[in-house]
Structures are given as structure tokens and as C-alpha cells.
Amino acid sequence: YEDLHTFELQAPTRVIEWAPGKRVCVAGYGWSGGNEILQLLPPPTLQAKETQGLCPERDFKVECGGFSNRPVYSLKHVPDTSLLVTSGPPDSSLQVWQVSAEDSDVIKSVSAIPTENGTGQPWAKIATISARAPWVLHGSRLNSVQITEVESRKNVYMAASRNSEELSGLAFLDCNTLLFCCAKGQLCLADVRQPQSPLEAVSVPPAPCGERWCVGVGRGPQGSDSSSQPVACLSSGGHLTLTDLRKTSESLASAKCRVPSPSSGAEFLCVSWAPALEGCLAISGFDGTVHVYDAQSWDSSGREAEPIFVHKGHAFGGWDSSGGPALVTVHTWHPQKPRTLLSAASDGSLHVWDWVQSCGKC
């Protein structure tokens, strides 16, 4: 490692979200109530633009926080506002939170966004944008996807679909284009300007039966359109497929990762692109590790890929509440520092790490 910071949370978290000012937001997902939502100030070394050498302060600091009476399975900051949106069981409704001003250390609940026939539905996946107004894209199934204006709670888009496949992820590609990923491996594109157009889901090739899938969307080259954004699909069996949005029925490249089958039924499956390293992505959710890959040399053969780095810090940590070894619940990349990632595990550990550059771009 070039650098490694650890922080012990009061409870396990499955969300890590970057907030303005390089803050980090996390939240608990327990069923007993009283789940903390915290905004953390990272260690000074993580905020510095250049390596500062030894630093006496190496820990996170809690800047403000609040409590949710329901599990938090997803959390997103609403751009250009001081609002957070969360979702989690037992239904598909959303909760809106206000991060208080500098003179207060409270994150308070301000409203809820109910969904039609949301009771009994899986928890909603969410994405946010503020191109026209602060919007949240949310839904638990393909036929329940909608866009809501966060502050007015006005519905501005409802997807036209009879397909009730469960969603594993969704994203804004730009202010008009949406991407949905179904748990069984289908991808679907939609246009906000054409709300009546029926959604057509196309299976990710190859998509073995019985496996669950998740999706990660990267940044395209500066000035490019949304169709050039890299998309990676990861299955619970460790299959990784890179897809061209202009033709989602065909894969650009594929690989098999050397990972165990997830013991939790793919609950924490996660894949993400490095924002500042071309062609690099990370995966987690199989065990107590995070694997980093350089996908630039991959082809369509689907052969086994070797990671360029494996973070094993959580695997050597404590045990989770069930008495089993810690399982990585989520990871994310630092927005600017090329090789810096944050990861959290089921034992309540939060790690920030940066591996030594050995060769090539990664």
C-alpha cells in the first residue's frame, strides 16, 4: 500500500457517497432502527492535492449526523443542494434529508417521496441529477421507474413498461438518457423526452441463468456524448461484460474473475469504473476483498482475468454480527485521486486505501 486509513463505524454500512467539499456520507442498514446517517470529514492526507508526507491526523472526523428508523440500502447526494435521498426496506418509498448548516451538526429528515403501489415492493434503486432541477430517478422494478423533482415532489417522468423485472441498478447517462439494469442481466435505455416509448430490455451477453447482475457506468471522454460512456456488468458468478450502449445486445469484451460465489445471494455485488484511470474498474461483494482490474486488454474470449491489485484488509479484520468473516458491502473511487478507493464491510470497518503504482497507467 502507498497509504491505508481505517475507521470503525458504530454499525455496518452499505453506502458510501461523496458529498460537496470532499465529504463522505455513510449510513447503517440494521433492522433494529436507529440507523446512523453520518457525514465524515476525511483525513487531511486524503484531501491534499499532493502527498504531504507524514501527517499527525490520520483519522476520519464525524462532521454531522442523524438517525433513520429504517435500514438505508442506498444514499445519494442531490447535486447543487444540501439534500440527501435514501431508500431501503420495507417498501420502495424514498426519504429526503437536509444536511444542516455550519452552525449545526444535525442531518434531519425533511420529507418522504411515496410511490404508487410501493408497499411490499423491493427497495428502490436511486440516482440523482440537477441539470434542469434537482431530480431523483428511482424504482424497484422496470415498470415502476419514475423521476421525481426532489423539492416539490412533482413527478416529471414515468417509464412506459409492462415488464416487472426487478432492477439491480439505474443511472442518468445525461439529463435526457437513462440506463436500467435488471437483476437477471437485461439492460434497457430510455429517453426522458419520449415517456410513451415502451422500454425494451436486452440480455447481457453472456448471461448465465440463475445469476444476478449489477452494473457500473463510467465517464466517457471529455466532450463526448452519453453513448461513449463505458458500462460494465458483473454477475454473481464472477462474469464481467463490457458493453457498448449503442448496441447493448453485443459485448465489447468479457472476462471471468477468480472470485468465490457470494454467500449472501449477491446482496452486496458492486462494480465501478475508476474516474481518473482509463480502463480500470473494481469489483466487490463476494468476500472480504476488493479486486481492481485493468480491462484495456480484454477481448471477447471471456478468459480468466488477473487483478492488478487485491485489497484484503477487511478479510483480516473482525467478524460481523452473524459470526462470519467480514464481507465487503460497498466500495467507491475517490473522485480525483487515481488509485484511491474507499470500502466498507459487514463488521463496521471503513477503509481508505491507495496501492503502489507498479507499471503502466494503473
Side-chain angles (χ1 to χ4, degrees):
Y1 292 95
E2 191 169 282
D3 208 356
L4 172 64
H5 302 272
T6 65
F7 184 71
E8 296 302 319
L9 300 166
Q10 292 297 312
T13 181
R14 59 185 293 166
V15 293
I16 302 175
E17 172 76 356
W18 286 101
K22 306 294 189 299
R23 270 62 170 174
V24 177
C25 292
V26 297
Y29 62 90
W31 281 90
S32 58
N35 290 293
E36 287 186 307
I37 298 179
L38 302 175
Q39 183 166 285
L40 306 176
L41 188 65
T45 55
L46 199 65
Q47 302 178 67
K49 292 183 178 180
E50 298 178 358
T51 303
Q52 301 293 310
L54 292 176
C55 180
E57 186 59 62
R58 296 183 57 82
D59 213 346
F60 283 84
K61 287 184 177 180
V62 177
E63 201 171 39
C64 54
F67 289 94
S68 171
N69 60 6
R70 57 196 294 164
V72 179
Y73 278 25
S74 185
L75 180 153
K76 297 293 181 184
H77 169 254
V78 182
D80 302 328
T81 74
S82 57
L83 300 175
L84 303 173
V85 178
T86 64
S87 66
D91 54 39
S92 60
S93 64
L94 310 183
Q95 289 69 51
V96 183
W97 304 81
Q98 174 79 53
V99 179
S100 300
E102 295 179 0
D103 58 347
S104 173
D105 60 358
V106 176
I107 297 176
K108 61 181 180 180
S109 175
V110 292
S111 65
I113 300 175
T115 53
E116 188 177 351
N117 300 322
T119 303
Q121 292 291 321
W123 61 279
K125 281 63 180 179
I126 54 179
T128 55
I129 197 172
S130 63
R132 296 190 182 94
W135 283 357
V136 57
L137 170 67
H138 57 105
S140 58
R141 299 187 183 277
L142 196 57
N143 60 357
S144 68
V145 175
Q146 61 189 80
I147 296 175
T148 303
E149 195 173 287
V150 177
E151 293 169 320
S152 68
R153 287 183 286 175
K154 176 185 177 183
N155 181 273
V156 295
Y157 170 82
M158 179 71 76
S161 177
R162 296 180 181 178
N163 190 329
S164 62
E165 288 289 342
E166 182 182 351
L167 291 175
S168 61
L170 42 69
F172 281 103
L173 299 179
D174 56 36
C175 62
N176 293 315
T177 315
L178 316 174
L179 174 69
F180 311 127
C181 178
C182 298
K184 291 184 179 179
Q186 304 101 317
L187 289 179
C188 186
L189 288 171
D191 193 316
V192 173
R193 297 163 296 186
Q194 300 172 354
Q196 302 305 317
S197 297
L199 302 183
E200 295 184 9
V202 179
S203 293
V204 176
C209 294
E211 295 189 359
R212 289 180 65 88
W213 291 76
C214 69
V215 68
V217 182
R219 298 177 183 174
Q222 191 169 6
S224 61
D225 61 18
S226 60
S227 65
S228 63
Q229 291 177 245
V231 173
C233 297
L234 172 67
S235 81
S236 55
H239 295 94
L240 258 172
T241 300
L242 310 186
T243 303
D244 187 336
L245 289 175
R246 290 163 292 193
K247 200 167 186 179
T248 54
S249 60
E250 296 179 6
S251 63
L252 292 175
S254 60
K256 178 70 170 68
C257 304
R258 192 183 302 169
V259 292
S261 297
S263 57
S264 62
E267 181 181 5
F268 303 119
L269 215 57
C270 182
V271 57
S272 63
W273 289 95
L277 274 181
E278 185 180 356
C280 282
L281 52 82
I283 67 169
S284 63
F286 296 89
D287 52 18
T289 65
V290 181
H291 289 213
V292 180
Y293 293 90
D294 181 359
Q296 293 182 93
S297 61
W298 290 1
D299 54 29
S300 57
S301 65
R303 66 174 184 268
E304 189 170 270
E306 286 291 333
I308 58 173
F309 187 79
V310 179
H311 174 60
K312 301 180 180 179
H314 298 286
F316 297 116
W319 302 85
D320 61 23
S321 58
S322 65
L327 174 70
V328 173
T329 55
V330 68
H331 73 266
T332 189
W333 295 79
H334 191 283
Q336 283 86 34
K337 293 181 178 290
R339 296 186 312 279
T340 299
L341 290 95
L342 286 78
S343 54
S346 57
D347 62 350
S349 58
L350 176 65
H351 291 183
V352 185
W353 41 280
D354 189 339
W355 76 93
V356 176
Q357 185 172 359
S358 55
C359 62
K361 290 185 179 180
C362 292

